[in-house]
Amino acid sequence: MEKRHRIFVAINLPADIKSQLAKRESKWQDLPARWTQKDQLHVTLEFLGYLNDIETAEVCKKVSEVAKNHGIFSLALNKIVYAPPKKIPPKMIWAVGEKSEELSALKNNLQKALLEAVRFKPEERDFSPHVTLSRINEWEFKNMDQEEIPEVDEIIDLSFTVESIEVMESELKRGGPVYTVLESSNLGA
């Protein structure tokens, strides 16, 4: 039986941004949440699901082609919130980013190219760039006393330059997913 890989395309964050986001964990220690390890923080552009080796190689090729046609741009993270929006109880805590023309164009072109290469189901909701900081244990959260639930709504000001996009593999492990960069593609100038 051929091995299948859980594949997604992402923007990895610079080390200093990862460090600043990881510090937020201490602020909400009372939440029943599993925090994302600092080195695993990223912005997912497209989740493709389980692919075989041939499909994964085709994805790497398509991502590289798309990256060459897009310039380097800035991405700003401006708020930390419960997520997804309007979901009660919340499932996660996100650092939310600002939408931009460059990011939207990259995401749209990436999706078109990948749909030609492999079968996957694109997300139907409007794309909102975000970094998943933690996953909340919903059962424990529901059982918290209302007064014990901390407010998670913080304005932040973190910006960084996006110079590459990565094809990543997600391996589901007991302690949470482990992400590995399979291929990094530099954006054109």
Side-chain angles (χ1 to χ4, degrees), residues 12 35 71 75 87 92 103 124 137 159 161:
N12 275 310
W35 291 85
L75 181 58
K87 170 81 174 97
M92 297 171 251
L103 181 59
E124 293 180 12
N137 180 318
S159 294
T161 303

Side-chain angles (χ1 to χ4, degrees), residues 2-49:
E2 74 180 335
K3 181 165 172 36
R4 297 186 74 73
H5 311 274
R6 195 167 184 260
I7 303 296
F8 64 98
V9 181
I11 296 169
N12 275 310
L13 309 179
D16 62 322
I17 300 293
K18 288 181 180 183
S19 293
Q20 290 183 56
L21 290 173
K23 288 178 189 173
R24 299 306 199 284
E25 179 179 346
S26 63
K27 196 169 189 176
W28 296 295
Q29 286 180 333
D30 295 338
L31 275 173
R34 186 177 72 231
W35 291 85
T36 305
Q37 293 177 4
K38 178 173 78 171
D39 61 336
Q40 305 282 302
L41 295 170
H42 65 274
V43 174
T44 300
L45 293 172
E46 204 67 62
F47 178 75
L48 303 173

Side-chain angles (χ1 to χ4, degrees), residues 17 23 28 44 57 60 65-66 76 89 97 106 128 130 139 143 149 151-152 166 174 183 187:
I17 300 293
K23 288 178 189 173
W28 296 295
T44 300
C60 289
E65 290 169 5
V66 170
L106 174 62
S128 172
H130 64 273
W139 184 84
N143 289 313
I149 297 174
E151 182 70 28
V152 176
E166 284 72 36
R174 189 170 175 86
E183 187 162 313
L187 296 176

